[in-house]
């Protein structure tokens, strides 16, 4: 993990930019058993920007950042857990890291005459490649591909996959 930063600062204006260099290999494969075939040696760059402006009681802040959420090691194991009579749980060595993007905007005004602060804050988050459980019900006896296991009719296979986007928008006023 490495961080590169650049910043500018004056009395009324502030700007910061940075990049996080992250090597997934250092954090995931240390926890995996040797027989795993997961290849998560990717290096990712996560940018971050911040800026603020102040003038006569008015303050504007804006920021943008990206980050990743690595899959838990047990989700990456290429194993099938058939200890339940109904539910089968399988790992997925091809899972990718979830990616989160966040943008924030804040406007604040301080009234010197009334000693009151007015403010509005907005935040928008987008998560992509969300890890979700793919549920596969079996209506008849079926060979579970890649695991050399015969699932019985009525069993349900649960396997983590990358397959979703979540978004949220939040705002506050004061």
């Amino acid at each position: 993990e490495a961080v590169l930063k650049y910043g500018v600062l004056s009395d009324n204006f502030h700007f910061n930019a940075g990049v996080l260099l992250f090597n997934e290999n250092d954090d995931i494969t240390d926890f995996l058993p040797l027989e795993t075939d997961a290849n998560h040696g990717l290096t990712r760059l996560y940018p971050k920007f911040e800026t603020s402006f102040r003038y006569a009681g008015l303050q504007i802040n804006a920021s943008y950042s990206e980050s990743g959420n690595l899959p838990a090691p047990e989700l990456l194991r290429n194993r099938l857990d058939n200890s339940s009579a109904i539910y089968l749980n399988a790992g997925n060595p091809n899972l990718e890291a979830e990616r989160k993007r966040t943008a924030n905007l804040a406007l604040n005004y301080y009234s010197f005459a009334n000693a009151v602060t007015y403010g509005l804050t907005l935040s928008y988050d987008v998560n992509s490649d969300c890890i979700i459980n793919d549920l596969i019900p079996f209506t008849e006896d079926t060979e579970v591909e890649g695991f050399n296991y015969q699932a019985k009719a009525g069993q349900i296979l649960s396997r983590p996959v990358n397959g979703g986007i979540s978004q949220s928008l939040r705002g506050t006023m004061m």
Side-chain angles (χ1 to χ4, degrees):
E1 187 173 305
V3 178
L4 174 65
K5 288 186 175 182
Y6 173 77
V8 174
L9 181 64
S10 72
D11 290 340
N12 294 331
F13 179 74
H14 164 248
F15 176 78
N16 247 347
V19 176
L20 174 65
L21 175 66
F22 187 79
N23 185 349
E24 289 182 356
N25 215 19
D26 294 340
D27 287 323
I28 292 182
T29 55
D30 290 346
F31 300 102
L32 294 176
L34 292 176
E35 67 269 14
T36 185
D37 56 358
N39 182 10
H40 288 270
L42 301 176
T43 299
R44 298 184 186 267
L45 296 175
Y46 295 114
K48 181 176 184 175
F49 305 98
E50 299 173 335
T51 188
S52 65
F53 174 76
R54 292 180 191 177
Y55 182 75
L58 175 67
Q59 180 174 347
I60 301 170
N61 298 323
S63 67
Y64 174 83
S65 65
E66 291 186 12
S67 63
N69 184 23
L70 300 173
E74 64 270 10
L75 296 178
L76 294 170
R77 292 191 175 106
N78 197 21
R79 293 191 182 147
L80 180 73
D81 175 4
N82 62 351
S83 59
S84 168
I86 296 175
Y87 295 101
L88 304 171
N89 293 301
N92 183 352
N94 297 316
L95 282 177
E96 294 291 327
E98 295 176 321
R99 189 164 194 139
K100 181 176 185 177
R101 296 167 185 86
T102 301
N104 294 300
L105 176 64
L107 303 170
N108 292 300
Y109 178 73
Y110 180 76
S111 171
F112 293 100
N114 300 327
V116 175
T117 300
Y118 304 96
L120 172 66
T121 302
L122 297 173
S123 181
Y124 178 66
D125 295 324
V126 177
N127 295 322
S128 58
D129 289 328
C130 295
I131 298 173
I132 60 173
N133 280 326
D134 187 19
L135 299 176
I136 303 168
F138 296 106
T139 56
E140 58 187 44
D141 290 1
T142 307
E143 178 76 24
V144 180
E145 187 178 330
F147 293 102
N148 194 24
Y149 179 80
Q150 184 77 20
K152 296 171 182 56
Q155 286 187 311
I156 299 171
L157 174 65
S158 174
R159 187 169 193 176
V161 295
N162 292 104
I165 293 179
S166 69
Q167 301 178 55
S168 66
L169 177 64
R170 296 179 307 280
T172 57
M173 292 178 65
M174 57 179 200

